[in-house]
Amino acid sequence: MSEQLTRPSSEELDATGLLSPGHAVIGEGPAVRRRFRVPDWVYTTLIVVGLLVLGQLAVDHGWVSKLMVASPTSVWVELKQGFSNGIYLHAINRTLVSTLVGFVIAAVAGNLLAVLMAMSGRFEGIIFPLVVAFQSLPKVAIAPLIVIWVGFGISSQILVVVLVAIFPVLVNSLQGLRLRDREQYELSKSLGASAWQIARWVRFPASLPYVFAGLRLAAVFSLLGAITAEFVGSSEGLGVLMLQQRASLNVPGTFATLLVLMVFGVALNEIMSFIERRVVYWSREVTTLNV
Amino acid sequence: MTQDVSSVTKGPPSGAEPLIRIEGVGKTFVGAADRTVALRDISFDVEAGSFVSFVGPSGCGKTTLLKMCAGLISLSTGSISYRGARRPIPPGDMGMVFQTAALMPWRTVMRNITYPADVLHLDKREARSRALELLKLVGLEGKESRLPQQLSGGQQQRVSIARGLLHDPAVLLMDEPFGALDALTREDMGFELQRIHQQSGKTILFVTHSIPESVLLSDQIIVLGTRPGRILKTYRVPLPRPRTIEHLQSPGMQEISAEIRALLSDNESRSVGMLGD
Ligand SMILES: Nc1ncnc2c1ncn2[C@@H]1O[C@H](COP(=O)(O)OP(=O)(O)OP(=O)(O)O)[C@@H](O)[C@H]1O
Ligand SMILES: [Mg+2]
């Protein structure tokens, strides 16, 4: 989104100060002839390809140990094999479920808490310090404890995800609900709007950009939480798969799983931005309250 | 409706049963460290169907006064009566146009204008067709599905004027509604407002920085001074309607304009002088 806002650099502005398309302007008066501008993604792709080639050469020529870096071709082989025998699909499925279920619970509970706090200053005053205190605790550190309480199954992973993801939802939504555009509020009052009408037509919509900023963070945190929980205590999932691959010194496999996780994370982010653009179509980007 | 053909008069207004009566109203804002006396001892009557303008320097309390009439800001002293009962204008009886457009960025122009209908549970279809008429009136035909951010500041303000009129309120409270408009559009909108006023018999309270505009449109002009905000003088403009731009050149109007200008600059220099002492 911000990409589009920053795009028109001075180079792209022609002599009249108007935005010209990225093509050469030929003829049309003196000195307006310019070169074709290579799009950014070409360079990005070149860097990726360059790194892949470098990795391949480094491993093939023994510049680095095969036990430390996997060659791109071996990763590719591992990926193909893993997907054809269903190992990956199974692990992805498990991680996906705990990530998504945890995310949804965190989103619902976080927003519910935010609404309660926005409605009652008293409730906020009492609860918020507890939330902050809890947030200061590194969640990874309590993951083992949660496994002890809840067990080795998927519910412990979901719980960890919820605990990690609920905070960004809560603080961002609360921030959004605290906003009150004075004049929109007074306009509503002058029409005799009830508190509920004001909440529905003014406060909720105004808070949405903040709600989404929180949700986008929470999506990323959810994946983080799911993998953390799997590292600590699970029998299935991408995190577990990676631990197993590492234990059997399967370096290409470890890299392949990392790649899957990366795609997973990017997909989550893209889906969230897609929904966000649809719902808060009117809003420019909001600064996120980070944790 | 018929105005006393007294020439420029001063002093407390009279009349049997005014629509709005402001009596000894004052407002002191109490901050953490300081107190601001925004208004002191304001009294005037607004007759039903009249057009009352407020002019005065920035910070003299025009917005505060308007919001007190609307019941949005509490009074520190004095009282406001509406239709004989001691209360501010009840919600729904008034249309407000704020100094800023105060549109909701997530609503289209159409949905912004029909917002009063949502709150007041008016018929949706009727509201829509009325909104289209109002859009034409403010010169924004065809822009109903735009978002506010796709409009210029002046266009946004016109949308907010249309919104203020949607539910056909008995009283219009307008806080510098033409502030962001160019001179020509401003003139047009002024005449449009005069037409609405004459046709509908609405009571209009109108804040402006333009003395000619206030003279052209008003039955009564309340000139406010600053430090503290108070009424310097009240003028009646007994000229017949509809008034045109030619009327502005008439000796009567010129005289009132000049007097208000002199009054305001006198107040300004005196308060600056006080600061210097
Ligand atoms: N909420 C508030 N708290 C404290 N002081 C306030 C508040 N609102 C207004 N004031 C003060 O009251 C005075 C009058 O403000 P007001 O907004 O009514 O002025 P105004 O006549 O509308 O000015 P302008 O022409 O610039 O809009 C100002 O000195 C302002 O600083
Ligand atoms: Mg004001």
Side-chain angles (χ1 to χ4, degrees):
Chain A
M1 264 205 296
S2 59
E3 217 184 331
Q4 297 218 322
L5 295 176
T6 54
R7 265 287 162 72
S9 64
S10 55
E11 296 173 58
E12 284 170 299
L13 302 175
D14 64 21
T16 61
L18 295 172
L19 192 64
S20 62
H23 301 292
V25 182
I26 300 165
E28 303 285 318
V32 260
R33 171 184 286 266
R34 275 191 295 107
R35 265 172 300 131
F36 173 76
R37 188 175 181 274
V38 181
D40 291 350
W41 62 263
V42 172
Y43 291 110
T44 312
T45 313
L46 279 178
I47 289 175
V48 172
V49 171
L51 284 175
L52 287 176
V53 171
L54 191 69
Q56 190 70 41
L57 288 175
V59 175
D60 286 354
H61 291 82
W63 301 338
V64 292
S65 157
K66 278 196 169 73
L67 290 177
M68 296 177 77
V69 175
S71 71
T73 46
S74 66
V75 172
W76 177 245
V77 169
E78 189 67 32
L79 267 179
K80 270 205 304 199
Q81 193 189 329
F83 271 104
S84 61
N85 67 20
I87 288 179
Y88 277 119
L89 289 181
H90 191 74
I92 287 174
N93 187 33
R94 170 66 179 251
T95 304
L96 190 70
V97 168
S98 51
T99 304
L100 288 188
V101 172
F103 171 74
V104 169
I105 294 175
V108 171
N111 279 307
L112 214 68
L113 273 178
V115 169
L116 285 178
M117 287 187 183
M119 265 169 26
S120 155
R122 184 95 208 216
F123 184 73
E124 180 184 345
I126 296 171
I127 299 297
F128 203 69
L130 298 180
V131 172
V132 172
F134 176 73
Q135 179 54 23
S136 321
L137 205 68
K139 250 40 113 267
V140 188
I142 54 165
L145 203 57
I146 287 171
V147 174
I148 293 174
W149 292 339
V150 186
F152 217 57
I154 194 167
S155 36
S156 69
Q157 277 119 58
I158 291 176
L159 189 55
V160 173
V161 171
V162 171
L163 291 179
V164 172
I166 196 169
F167 192 75
V169 175
L170 175 60
V171 279
N172 283 286
S173 295
L174 186 59
Q175 172 78 1
L177 287 168
R178 276 192 194 128
L179 296 177
R180 189 175 293 190
D181 182 293
R182 173 146 187 208
E183 245 121 44
Q184 285 168 11
Y185 179 79
E186 288 180 338
L187 170 77
S188 308
K189 276 282 169 204
S190 80
L191 293 163
S194 64
W196 161 242
Q197 284 180 318
I198 292 175
R200 176 179 166 199
W201 284 320
V202 180
R203 296 183 74 186
F204 286 159
S207 73
L208 277 179
Y210 291 81
V211 172
F212 269 91
L215 289 180
R216 207 159 5 105
L217 265 183
V220 177
F221 278 38
S222 293
L223 183 58
L224 191 85
I227 300 298
T228 306
E230 286 174 4
F231 279 172
V232 173
S234 173
S235 52
E236 289 169 60
L238 285 170
V240 176
L241 185 62
M242 221 167 100
L243 287 186
Q244 290 165 348
Q245 287 162 332
R246 201 204 50 182
S248 58
L249 299 182
N250 178 357
V251 181
T254 315
F255 273 72
T257 308
L258 269 178
L259 202 65
V260 171
L261 275 175
M262 197 172 82
V263 172
F264 205 112
V266 169
L268 261 182
N269 216 344
E270 285 302 306
I271 292 170
M272 287 311 295
S273 326
F274 177 80
I275 299 174
E276 183 174 2
R277 278 196 301 272
R278 289 291 148 115
V279 180
V280 280
Y281 50 86
W282 76 87
S283 163
R284 305 256 178 269
E285 258 177 279
V286 169
T287 35
T288 315
L289 286 183
N290 214 323
V291 195
Chain B
M1 281 295 276
T2 45
Q3 201 66 48
D4 276 21
V5 193
S6 58
S7 60
V8 179
T9 57
K10 187 198 166 181
S14 56
E17 167 82 350
L19 182 73
I20 307 167
R21 168 161 280 174
I22 312 286
E23 273 181 304
V25 162
K27 180 68 191 182
T28 305
F29 288 104
V30 181
D34 58 340
R35 306 156 66 85
T36 314
V37 182
L39 287 167
R40 179 176 292 166
D41 195 26
I42 305 287
S43 300
F44 61 89
D45 283 357
V46 177
E47 278 129 57
S50 66
F51 192 119
V52 180
S53 286
F54 301 86
V55 294
S58 178
C60 70
K62 305 180 294 294
T63 299
T64 306
L65 186 55
L66 221 55
K67 286 184 177 174
M68 287 199 291
C69 291
L72 297 172
I73 293 182
S74 65
L75 315 182
S76 302
T77 62
S79 67
I80 294 180
S81 314
Y82 180 78
R83 292 194 202 280
R86 200 175 149 151
R87 58 170 179 186
I89 307 168
D93 260 24
M94 63 190 141
M96 288 214 70
V97 180
F98 291 90
Q99 203 164 348
T100 59
L103 302 177
M104 299 175 190
W106 52 88
R107 285 183 171 234
T108 60
V109 165
M110 170 57 80
R111 299 255 298 127
N112 263 294
I113 297 179
T114 56
Y115 179 64
D118 288 349
V119 176
L120 298 166
H121 302 292
L122 307 179
D123 183 78
K124 289 220 160 43
R125 194 138 16 106
E126 246 169 67
R128 283 185 65 86
S129 67
R130 185 160 162 73
L132 288 175
E133 279 167 33
L134 289 169
L135 267 178
K136 198 184 287 179
L137 186 135
V138 297
L140 291 176
E141 282 170 280
K143 302 236 189 297
E144 61 267 19
S145 48
R146 296 256 187 122
L147 288 174
Q149 65 195 12
Q150 297 169 308
L151 301 179
S152 74
Q155 291 172 328
Q156 292 183 14
Q157 218 172 15
R158 281 181 275 161
V159 171
S160 96
I161 293 170
R163 177 181 60 190
L165 290 166
L166 183 96
H167 51 300
D168 198 20
V171 185
L172 264 182
L173 303 175
M174 307 179 91
D175 196 351
E176 288 180 47
F178 305 153
L181 303 183
D182 65 275
L184 280 179
T185 314
R186 183 168 187 152
E187 233 168 68
D188 285 349
M189 294 292 297
F191 287 121
E192 213 43 72
L193 186 61
Q194 173 173 250
R195 200 180 53 75
I196 291 169
H197 175 232
Q198 278 197 286
Q199 279 180 1
S200 63
K202 285 187 199 312
T203 307
I204 300 180
L205 305 191
F206 184 82
V207 172
T208 178
H209 276 144
S210 159
I211 297 171
E213 193 172 80
S214 69
V215 175
L216 186 68
L217 295 173
S218 314
D219 299 309
Q220 191 178 339
I221 302 171
I222 294 174
V223 184
L224 295 160
T226 184
R227 296 195 198 95
R230 64 194 188 280
I231 295 184
L232 295 178
K233 203 165 174 182
T234 299
Y235 292 89
R236 281 171 190 276
V237 186
L239 296 168
R241 294 177 186 278
R243 298 175 189 160
T244 61
I245 208 77
E246 282 76 43
H247 280 93
L248 264 187
Q249 261 74 54
S250 71
M253 286 219 183
Q254 294 271 332
E255 193 187 323
I256 301 178
S257 290
E259 204 180 318
I260 295 175
R261 190 163 288 120
L263 191 62
L264 284 176
S265 63
D266 188 40
N267 175 249
E268 192 58 32
S269 57
R270 216 163 342 133
S271 52
V272 170
M274 263 158 51
L275 277 183
D277 285 346

Short mmCIF file of all heavy atoms in Angstrom, two decimals, chain A residues 182, chain B residues 29-30 36 38 56-65 73 99 175-176 207 209, ligand 1:
data_model
loop_
_atom_site.label_atom_id
_atom_site.label_comp_id
_atom_site.label_asym_id
_atom_site.label_seq_id
_atom_site.Cartn_x
_atom_site.Cartn_y
_atom_site.Cartn_z
N ARG A 182 -14.49 14.71 17.96
CA ARG A 182 -15.39 15.57 18.72
C ARG A 182 -16.60 16.00 17.90
O ARG A 182 -17.73 15.96 18.37
CB ARG A 182 -14.59 16.79 19.18
CG ARG A 182 -15.46 17.80 19.82
CD ARG A 182 -14.79 18.54 20.93
NE ARG A 182 -15.78 19.36 21.57
CZ ARG A 182 -15.53 20.49 22.19
NH1 ARG A 182 -14.29 20.90 22.26
NH2 ARG A 182 -16.50 21.17 22.74
N PHE B 29 -14.40 28.14 30.89
CA PHE B 29 -13.76 26.83 30.76
C PHE B 29 -12.73 26.70 31.87
O PHE B 29 -11.86 27.56 32.01
CB PHE B 29 -13.06 26.69 29.41
CG PHE B 29 -14.01 26.54 28.26
CD1 PHE B 29 -14.25 27.60 27.39
CD2 PHE B 29 -14.66 25.34 28.04
CE1 PHE B 29 -15.12 27.45 26.33
CE2 PHE B 29 -15.53 25.18 26.97
CZ PHE B 29 -15.77 26.24 26.12
N VAL B 30 -12.85 25.65 32.64
CA VAL B 30 -11.91 25.45 33.72
C VAL B 30 -10.91 24.37 33.31
O VAL B 30 -11.26 23.21 33.15
CB VAL B 30 -12.63 25.03 35.02
CG1 VAL B 30 -11.63 24.86 36.14
CG2 VAL B 30 -13.67 26.06 35.38
N THR B 36 -10.63 29.98 31.51
CA THR B 36 -10.86 30.88 30.40
C THR B 36 -12.30 31.36 30.45
O THR B 36 -13.22 30.55 30.40
CB THR B 36 -10.65 30.16 29.05
OG1 THR B 36 -9.45 29.41 29.12
CG2 THR B 36 -10.57 31.16 27.91
N ALA B 38 -14.84 32.43 28.43
CA ALA B 38 -15.10 32.48 26.99
C ALA B 38 -16.23 33.45 26.68
O ALA B 38 -16.17 34.19 25.70
CB ALA B 38 -15.45 31.08 26.47
N GLY B 56 -17.60 38.49 14.89
CA GLY B 56 -16.69 38.84 15.97
C GLY B 56 -15.34 38.20 15.71
O GLY B 56 -15.23 37.28 14.91
N PRO B 57 -14.33 38.70 16.40
CA PRO B 57 -12.97 38.19 16.15
C PRO B 57 -12.82 36.73 16.56
O PRO B 57 -13.62 36.20 17.34
CB PRO B 57 -12.10 39.11 17.03
CG PRO B 57 -13.02 39.63 18.07
CD PRO B 57 -14.35 39.75 17.43
N SER B 58 -11.79 36.12 16.05
CA SER B 58 -11.52 34.73 16.37
C SER B 58 -11.31 34.57 17.88
O SER B 58 -10.62 35.36 18.49
CB SER B 58 -10.26 34.29 15.61
OG SER B 58 -9.94 32.98 15.95
N GLY B 59 -11.96 33.57 18.43
CA GLY B 59 -11.78 33.29 19.86
C GLY B 59 -12.74 34.06 20.75
O GLY B 59 -12.62 34.00 21.98
N CYS B 60 -13.72 34.76 20.17
CA CYS B 60 -14.63 35.53 21.00
C CYS B 60 -15.77 34.67 21.53
O CYS B 60 -16.60 35.15 22.31
CB CYS B 60 -15.17 36.73 20.25
SG CYS B 60 -16.32 36.30 18.96
N GLY B 61 -15.86 33.44 21.11
CA GLY B 61 -16.85 32.53 21.69
C GLY B 61 -18.05 32.23 20.82
O GLY B 61 -19.08 31.75 21.31
N LYS B 62 -17.94 32.46 19.52
CA LYS B 62 -19.08 32.21 18.62
C LYS B 62 -19.44 30.73 18.58
O LYS B 62 -20.61 30.36 18.73
CB LYS B 62 -18.74 32.71 17.20
CG LYS B 62 -18.31 34.16 17.15
CD LYS B 62 -17.98 34.62 15.75
CE LYS B 62 -16.77 33.95 15.13
NZ LYS B 62 -15.51 34.27 15.80
N THR B 63 -18.43 29.90 18.40
CA THR B 63 -18.68 28.47 18.35
C THR B 63 -19.25 27.98 19.69
O THR B 63 -20.21 27.20 19.73
CB THR B 63 -17.37 27.72 18.03
OG1 THR B 63 -16.90 28.14 16.75
CG2 THR B 63 -17.58 26.22 18.02
N THR B 64 -18.66 28.47 20.76
CA THR B 64 -19.12 28.09 22.09
C THR B 64 -20.60 28.44 22.28
O THR B 64 -21.39 27.63 22.76
CB THR B 64 -18.29 28.81 23.16
OG1 THR B 64 -16.91 28.55 22.92
CG2 THR B 64 -18.66 28.36 24.56
N LEU B 65 -20.97 29.66 21.85
CA LEU B 65 -22.35 30.11 21.99
C LEU B 65 -23.30 29.22 21.19
O LEU B 65 -24.36 28.79 21.69
CB LEU B 65 -22.44 31.56 21.50
CG LEU B 65 -23.77 32.29 21.69
CD1 LEU B 65 -24.18 32.24 23.15
CD2 LEU B 65 -23.65 33.74 21.23
N ILE B 73 -22.69 22.11 24.93
CA ILE B 73 -21.78 22.63 25.95
C ILE B 73 -22.65 23.18 27.08
O ILE B 73 -23.66 23.84 26.83
CB ILE B 73 -20.88 23.75 25.37
CG1 ILE B 73 -19.93 23.19 24.32
CG2 ILE B 73 -20.10 24.45 26.48
CD1 ILE B 73 -18.97 24.23 23.74
N GLN B 99 -17.88 24.11 11.95
CA GLN B 99 -16.81 24.89 11.34
C GLN B 99 -15.94 24.01 10.44
O GLN B 99 -15.48 24.44 9.40
CB GLN B 99 -15.97 25.51 12.47
CG GLN B 99 -15.20 26.73 12.06
CD GLN B 99 -14.71 27.50 13.28
OE1 GLN B 99 -15.11 27.26 14.42
NE2 GLN B 99 -13.83 28.44 13.03
N ASP B 175 -21.96 27.19 11.66
CA ASP B 175 -20.71 27.79 12.18
C ASP B 175 -19.75 28.01 11.01
O ASP B 175 -19.08 27.07 10.57
CB ASP B 175 -20.10 26.85 13.22
CG ASP B 175 -19.05 27.56 14.06
OD1 ASP B 175 -18.68 28.69 13.71
OD2 ASP B 175 -18.62 26.97 15.06
N GLU B 176 -19.69 29.22 10.54
CA GLU B 176 -18.84 29.55 9.40
C GLU B 176 -18.96 28.52 8.28
O GLU B 176 -17.97 27.93 7.85
CB GLU B 176 -17.37 29.66 9.82
CG GLU B 176 -17.09 30.90 10.63
CD GLU B 176 -15.63 30.98 11.04
OE1 GLU B 176 -14.77 30.79 10.18
OE2 GLU B 176 -15.38 31.23 12.22
N VAL B 207 -22.89 31.86 12.01
CA VAL B 207 -21.63 32.49 12.38
C VAL B 207 -20.85 32.81 11.12
O VAL B 207 -20.75 31.96 10.24
CB VAL B 207 -20.79 31.57 13.29
CG1 VAL B 207 -19.41 32.16 13.51
CG2 VAL B 207 -21.49 31.33 14.60
N HIS B 209 -17.42 35.35 9.36
CA HIS B 209 -16.38 36.37 9.52
C HIS B 209 -16.58 37.50 8.53
O HIS B 209 -15.85 38.48 8.55
CB HIS B 209 -14.99 35.76 9.35
CG HIS B 209 -14.48 35.14 10.60
ND1 HIS B 209 -13.72 34.01 10.62
CD2 HIS B 209 -14.63 35.49 11.90
CE1 HIS B 209 -13.43 33.69 11.87
NE2 HIS B 209 -13.98 34.58 12.66
N1 LIG C 1 -13.01 23.01 25.44
C1 LIG C 1 -12.41 24.19 25.75
N2 LIG C 1 -11.59 24.27 26.80
C2 LIG C 1 -11.00 25.44 27.13
N3 LIG C 1 -11.15 26.57 26.43
C3 LIG C 1 -11.94 26.56 25.36
C4 LIG C 1 -12.61 25.36 24.95
N4 LIG C 1 -13.34 25.64 23.85
C5 LIG C 1 -13.12 26.94 23.59
N5 LIG C 1 -12.29 27.49 24.48
C6 LIG C 1 -11.86 28.90 24.54
O1 LIG C 1 -13.02 29.68 24.50
C7 LIG C 1 -12.83 30.80 23.66
C8 LIG C 1 -13.90 30.84 22.60
O2 LIG C 1 -13.74 29.77 21.71
P1 LIG C 1 -14.65 29.58 20.43
O3 LIG C 1 -14.26 28.34 19.74
O4 LIG C 1 -16.07 29.67 20.85
O5 LIG C 1 -14.25 30.86 19.56
P2 LIG C 1 -14.81 31.30 18.13
O6 LIG C 1 -15.43 32.62 18.31
O7 LIG C 1 -15.63 30.23 17.54
O8 LIG C 1 -13.46 31.48 17.31
P3 LIG C 1 -13.20 31.19 15.75
O9 LIG C 1 -13.76 32.35 15.01
O10 LIG C 1 -11.71 31.16 15.68
O11 LIG C 1 -13.84 29.90 15.43
C9 LIG C 1 -11.43 30.71 23.13
O12 LIG C 1 -10.59 31.55 23.88
C10 LIG C 1 -11.05 29.28 23.34
O13 LIG C 1 -9.68 29.18 23.60
#
